[in-house]
Amino acid sequence: MPEHVQERKPKISASRKLMLKSLMVAKAKEELEQEIVVKEDEKQSYLSERAPALNTSSLSLAQLQDLCRELHAKIDAVDEERYDIEAKVMLNTREIKDLNIKVLDLRGKFKRPSLRRVRVSADAILRSLLGSKHKVSMDLRANLKSVKKEDTEKKRPVEDSDWRKNVEAMSGMEGRKKMFDAAKGPTQ
């Protein structure tokens, strides 16, 4: 590693940098003002084209009524256009929302909504999955194997006798009583 590292000198001085920033801000401000003026001119030309100035002073009552009917018809047409455009905008926003959700799913950064516990029967689950095809009610106990209690009782006979009698009965079998007595030890 070198013992002394030279500090890098900036290519532009601070005063020059400040001057350039102020020039950029001034240029952006001018462009913004020009843009506002252009938009205002476009708005005025559009309004003069779509809605010319009305001269109602020299019109008779019948002509005023006809003019009102024409204006109402134009208002209705504009309202229909506005409604159609709002419907398209709502559809597009919904579509954008769905696409954003798909993108988040693909990325794996999906915020899971808080889930609530809902009690649903097996029939309701099958109906929601299969739709109208589900006609058989699901009886979960019908498929279980039946077990007879009599068979289990025959396998394990229960003796209600004294345990001492069992020990004496076991004494003849290969000296188990001797082993039992030996385990007791000489303490008796």
Side-chain angles (χ1 to χ4, degrees):
M1 292 190 1
E3 294 178 7
H4 66 301
V5 178
Q6 294 179 353
E7 291 184 25
R8 294 177 60 180
K9 294 183 180 178
K11 294 181 180 178
I12 301 174
S13 66
S15 61
R16 175 95 172 134
K17 195 183 269 188
L18 183 62
M19 185 186 71
L20 288 174
K21 280 185 182 179
S22 63
L23 285 174
M24 286 174 56
V25 168
K27 181 70 173 171
K29 188 176 181 180
E30 286 176 16
E31 288 179 1
L32 186 63
E33 289 173 355
Q34 287 176 353
E35 202 174 299
I36 291 172
V37 169
V38 167
K39 281 186 179 179
E40 191 65 33
D41 290 341
E42 286 177 1
K43 183 179 177 181
Q44 290 299 328
S45 65
Y46 179 79
L47 286 176
S48 64
E49 177 185 318
R50 296 284 281 193
L54 295 176
N55 185 6
T56 57
S57 61
S58 63
L59 297 176
S60 67
L61 183 62
Q63 290 174 335
L64 284 174
Q65 288 176 344
D66 288 338
L67 181 63
C68 286
R69 287 189 191 104
E70 287 176 20
L71 289 176
H72 279 289
K74 286 182 181 179
I75 289 171
D76 290 341
V78 168
D79 278 343
E80 287 176 7
E81 285 180 37
R82 181 184 54 84
Y83 178 77
D84 290 342
I85 291 172
E86 282 179 359
K88 286 179 184 177
V89 167
M90 287 175 60
L91 182 70
N92 288 341
T93 54
R94 196 175 308 133
E95 200 172 312
I96 289 170
K97 199 176 194 181
D98 291 342
L99 290 174
N100 281 337
I101 289 172
K102 284 183 182 179
V103 166
L104 288 174
D105 284 344
L106 292 174
R107 261 195 234 151
K109 295 181 180 179
F110 177 66
K111 292 182 181 177
R112 291 191 178 127
S114 59
L115 301 176
R116 297 175 292 171
R117 281 191 188 262
V118 179
R119 290 189 177 199
V120 181
S121 67
D123 291 332
I125 292 172
L126 287 175
R127 218 177 298 121
S128 66
L129 290 175
L130 302 176
S132 61
K133 295 177 186 177
H134 174 68
K135 292 180 183 172
V136 180
S137 67
M138 185 168 183
D139 187 13
L140 297 175
R141 293 184 183 191
N143 297 331
L144 294 177
K145 183 178 179 182
S146 63
V147 178
K148 296 179 182 175
K149 286 189 176 182
E150 296 171 5
D151 294 340
T152 58
E153 289 176 3
K154 288 180 184 176
K155 289 179 184 175
R156 254 189 329 147
V158 178
E159 295 180 8
D160 294 332
S161 61
D162 192 16
W163 64 274
R164 289 181 211 113
K165 292 179 183 175
N166 287 338
V167 171
E168 289 174 8
M170 298 292 276
S171 65
M173 299 176 68
E174 301 176 12
R176 290 191 184 211
K177 186 174 184 183
K178 292 178 186 174
M179 290 172 49
F180 180 71
D181 289 338
K184 281 185 182 179
T187 57
Q188 283 187 349

